[in-house]
Amino acid sequence: MKKLISAILAMALIVQLPACNTSKKTRYEAQFLQLFDTMTEIVAYTETKEEFTNLSNLIYNNLKVYHELYDIYNDYPGVSNIKTINDNAGKKPVKVDKRIIDMLLLGKKESADNSSAFNIALGSVLKIWHQYREAGIDDPENAALPPMADLKEAMKHTDISKVVIDEKASTVYLEDPEMSLDVGGIAKGYATEQVAKIAMEHGYNSALLSVGGNVRAIGDKGVNQEDWNIGIQNPDKESEKKSLCTINIKDESVVTSGIYERYYTVDGKTYHHIIDPKTLMPSTYFKAVTIITPDSGMADIYCKLIFNVPYEQGLAYIRTLPDTEALWVLPDNEIKYSDHFQKYIKS
């Protein structure tokens, strides 16, 4: 399947009209599935189809590497990944690629700084929720919630200090044999950011990359100095209004987390996938949260952090971060903004 996707990537282009009469650039788009279990989209205005195809292949090939390294469910020949680390919890350190070390160092730092709202070592808890959610989706009539006793027992094995990272040896060791890493709150955004940097290092200074909604703008459109236009999805799927607003960005990332992404139903009530470490239940503060900030990896982290705390606390936190703004959708569909978010909204 992966070989097939790679082979057809160069053909999966949508050619539109030239950007304007004075520009020789044409808008191209490419889409591919499977990596990070989501849809990846690339948009760029280039002078030739070959230039865009080269960009698309560069992004795909590098994103594929990050997908395999950060996977917690699957093994790959010759690859020691996050699953390998989890499989060896309490047994031995695992030598891994520097791209895993760098991501985990950031994840561990943010987990230590914000232990009650974000924790990459919460895998033992999230694994239980994942099993019950998948079972509930497959068999809705018998869908059930995880027993709180099981969740509390699993929570005993989430101490971030027991994630031992040896940069010199390039190894990771989980001291607790019942511990499990889950990097879902950072991996996709972090990989998106690194792939965007790789594209820029190869001379691409204008493109829009979206990995399952983790959006990273490289420069502006490259046409008439126009910003990229990004729609913020409405978490209310029953509404005729599909997006809350459209924002203008360049050289920035936009990440949204919402209760509409992955969920299942138990006794008529939906339970989404964003678990609050304080309650061990799906967070109830918001329907969706959107972050605008330059770095896509940090955007991913900030999104999860403020999703799991009340609005006032999240707003205070956002105010401490440079070049970062947020939008919150409350359970009653009220929308709240950080101090300068609205300056990005397209008039």
Side-chain angles (χ1 to χ4, degrees):
M1 179 64 177
K2 292 179 183 176
K3 291 182 179 179
L4 174 61
I5 293 174
S6 184
I8 68 172
L9 176 60
M11 297 185 290
L13 307 177
I14 302 173
V15 182
Q16 298 185 352
L17 293 174
C20 65
N21 294 333
T22 60
S23 173
K24 296 180 181 179
K25 293 184 177 181
T26 300
R27 175 189 170 105
Y28 292 94
E29 298 181 359
Q31 297 179 341
F32 48 83
L33 290 167
Q34 192 167 354
L35 301 186
F36 287 95
D37 299 316
T38 191
M39 170 77 75
T40 294
E41 300 177 87
I42 306 164
V43 180
Y45 292 79
T46 58
E47 294 184 357
T48 66
K49 181 177 180 180
E50 181 182 12
E51 180 184 352
F52 180 78
T53 300
N54 290 338
L55 169 64
S56 299
N57 285 324
L58 177 70
I59 289 174
Y60 175 84
N61 291 334
N62 282 279
L63 197 62
K64 177 177 179 288
V65 173
Y66 281 99
H67 165 79
E68 293 182 356
L69 289 174
Y70 297 166
D71 199 332
I72 66 173
Y73 298 112
N74 302 291
D75 297 302
Y76 301 90
V79 176
S80 292
N81 59 10
I82 300 295
K83 181 179 183 296
T84 313
I85 296 171
N86 288 340
D87 289 345
N88 286 278
K91 299 176 184 177
K92 64 179 181 178
V94 177
K95 188 174 180 62
V96 294
D97 190 284
K98 186 177 184 296
R99 285 165 286 195
I100 291 180
I101 297 290
D102 291 343
M103 184 270 291
L104 291 182
L105 284 171
L106 175 61
K108 183 175 180 179
K109 175 183 178 297
E110 293 299 324
S111 299
D113 291 344
N114 305 281
S115 58
S116 65
F118 177 83
N119 186 359
I120 62 170
L122 200 67
S124 55
V125 173
L126 299 181
K127 186 185 299 183
I128 294 173
W129 272 106
H130 177 80
Q131 291 169 348
Y132 274 79
R133 184 171 61 249
E134 292 298 303
I137 292 172
D138 292 340
D139 185 7
E141 291 186 3
N142 293 303
L145 296 178
M148 182 54 65
D150 291 355
L151 296 173
K152 288 182 177 180
E153 179 61 32
M155 190 64 185
K156 296 177 182 178
H157 306 287
T158 62
D159 182 354
I160 192 65
S161 69
K162 295 187 182 298
V163 180
V164 180
I165 302 173
D166 186 332
E167 290 185 74
K168 186 175 181 179
S170 195
T171 62
V172 181
Y173 176 52
L174 307 184
E175 293 182 332
D176 182 347
E178 299 299 320
M179 173 175 278
S180 178
L181 296 175
D182 188 305
V183 293
I186 178 177
K188 189 169 60 172
Y190 185 88
T192 300
E193 182 65 23
Q194 302 313 306
V195 170
K197 289 179 178 177
I198 291 169
M200 288 186 280
E201 289 168 359
H202 281 75
Y204 296 98
N205 55 21
S206 176
L208 190 69
L209 173 61
S210 174
V211 184
N214 285 63
V215 177
R216 176 62 156 88
I218 301 173
D220 57 22
K221 288 182 178 179
V223 177
N224 298 333
Q225 297 182 325
E226 294 180 14
D227 292 346
W228 295 102
N229 308 129
I230 309 297
I232 305 300
Q233 184 172 340
N234 188 345
D236 183 1
K237 289 191 172 184
E238 296 182 359
S239 174
E240 295 181 358
K241 187 179 180 182
K242 299 304 178 184
S243 63
L244 299 175
C245 60
T246 300
I247 59 175
N248 298 323
I249 62 168
K250 63 178 180 180
D251 286 318
E252 286 160 316
S253 298
V254 180
V255 173
T256 297
S257 291
I259 64 174
Y260 53 84
E261 293 175 332
R262 294 192 296 276
Y263 59 89
Y264 74 121
T265 303
V266 180
D267 296 330
K269 183 177 179 179
T270 58
Y271 293 86
H272 61 82
H273 74 293
I274 305 175
I275 305 303
D276 184 344
K278 299 185 296 297
T279 65
L280 305 182
M281 295 292 291
S283 181
T284 58
Y285 294 111
F286 311 107
K287 283 188 173 181
V289 167
T290 295
I291 291 286
I292 302 175
T293 200
D295 187 291
S296 188
M298 297 309 301
D300 231 358
I301 294 171
Y302 297 155
C303 228
K304 301 305 183 296
L305 280 172
I306 67 172
F307 205 102
N308 284 328
V309 298
Y311 164 72
E312 293 77 9
Q313 185 177 342
L315 177 61
Y317 178 67
I318 292 297
R319 285 172 172 167
T320 69
L321 305 173
D323 305 316
T324 302
E325 301 297 333
L327 174 154
W328 294 260
V329 182
L330 277 62
D332 63 359
N333 293 320
E334 180 185 1
I335 300 175
K336 290 183 177 290
Y337 305 95
S338 59
D339 299 334
H340 305 293
F341 186 96
Q342 288 171 286
K343 76 175 184 180
Y344 289 95
I345 297 178
K346 184 178 181 181
S347 56

